């Protein structure tokens, strides 16, 4: 039965899985990826056996957290893009991606160290996010808000670099804001 589709989770099991992902996301983001799974299960109000039924290893839990974060980010950028003019949507999504990137490097490094092929795990979600970013960029360029010579690879590199810079300035909101101002000024057409 290897080709069989997985059965849908019972309502209580689905709630437990969602709760575990919520708690694990919060704990891993605020305290790091070294937090024991037992603490995550306890914080989620379930037994460790329940955690391991859903996520057989800590790496499986971390991988699910990373995938979920990217899927949530993609959905949130879609909502922002739909609700704002192109220039505003581009800037808001740029900020959102940068602000939500906190901890991403630690997550992906921990997965890679455990032998998980992070790129394969995130391929589908990453492709969707890249398509969303390409659409935001193209719309902002058509609106004359972003320089026309900026391509998707450069945008992704900027997001990664600004994410790293902003993470280093976590305790200085004014400096973080200046980083965004400088980047947005540099992205405007000449």
């Amino acid at each position: 039965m290897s080709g069989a589709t997985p059965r849908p989770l019972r309502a209580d099991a689905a709630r437990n899985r969602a709760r575990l992902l919520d708690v694990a996301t919060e704990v891993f983001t605020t305290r790091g990826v070294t937090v024991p799974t037992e603490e995550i299960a306890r914080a989620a109000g379930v037994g460790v056996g329940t955690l391991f039924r859903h996520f057989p290893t800590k790496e499986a839990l971390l991988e699910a957290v990373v995938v979920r974060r990217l899927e949530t980010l993609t959905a949130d950028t879609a909502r922002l893009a739909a609700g704002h003019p192109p220039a505003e949507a581009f800037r808001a999504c740029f900020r959102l991606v940068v602000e939500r990137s906190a901890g991403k490097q630690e997550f992906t490094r921990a997965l890679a160290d455990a032998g998980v092929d992070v790129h394969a795990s995130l391929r589908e979600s990453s492709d969707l996010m890249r398509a969303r970013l390409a659409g935001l960029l193209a719309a902002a360029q058509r609106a004359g808000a972003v320089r026309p010579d900026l391509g998707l690879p450069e945008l992704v590199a900027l997001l990664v670099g600004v994410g790293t810079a902003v993470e280093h300035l976590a305790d200085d909101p004014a400096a973080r804001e200046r980083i965004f101002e400088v980047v947005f000024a540099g992205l405007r057409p000449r």
Side-chain angles (χ1 to χ4, degrees):
M1 297 265 320
S2 63
T5 57
R7 291 184 324 188
L9 293 175
R10 293 183 334 255
D12 62 330
R15 279 191 304 275
N16 284 341
R17 185 179 196 286
R19 177 79 179 130
L20 282 163
L21 281 172
D22 289 344
V23 169
T25 298
E26 176 65 24
V27 169
F28 287 151
T29 302
T30 59
R31 295 178 46 205
V33 297
T34 60
V35 175
T37 51
E38 293 80 6
E39 283 187 42
I40 292 168
R42 190 171 31 260
V46 300
V48 74
T50 298
L51 185 147
F52 285 123
R53 267 193 300 284
H54 291 286
F55 309 102
T57 64
K58 183 175 182 177
E59 290 76 23
L61 174 61
L62 184 56
E63 184 177 0
V65 165
V66 171
V67 168
R68 186 179 196 216
R69 279 175 51 136
L70 188 53
E71 289 171 349
T72 301
L73 181 59
T74 302
D76 290 347
T77 58
R79 279 191 287 281
L80 277 172
H84 296 88
E88 191 179 325
F90 178 83
R91 287 189 300 272
C93 289
F94 190 101
R95 281 179 178 276
L96 182 69
V97 170
V98 167
E99 289 165 358
R100 295 250 187 103
S101 69
K104 179 183 175 222
Q105 296 300 339
E106 182 184 8
F107 291 0
T108 55
R109 192 172 31 258
L111 287 170
D113 289 349
V116 174
D117 184 349
V118 179
H119 294 293
S121 298
L122 297 176
R123 182 164 290 122
E124 186 177 331
S125 300
S126 292
D127 288 349
L128 287 171
M129 186 63 191
R130 288 177 73 81
R132 178 79 53 226
L133 290 171
L136 285 162
L137 176 60
Q141 287 171 326
R142 282 191 304 274
V146 173
R147 52 192 300 161
D149 59 338
L150 182 72
L152 184 59
E154 295 89 7
L155 175 59
V156 171
L158 277 171
L159 288 165
V160 170
V162 174
T164 301
V166 166
E167 218 171 330
H168 285 292
L169 297 170
D171 296 333
D172 190 346
R176 290 169 56 112
E177 191 56 36
R178 282 191 301 278
I179 293 287
F180 283 116
E181 289 171 10
V182 167
V183 170
F184 292 147
L187 290 174
R188 286 189 203 105
R190 294 178 187 205

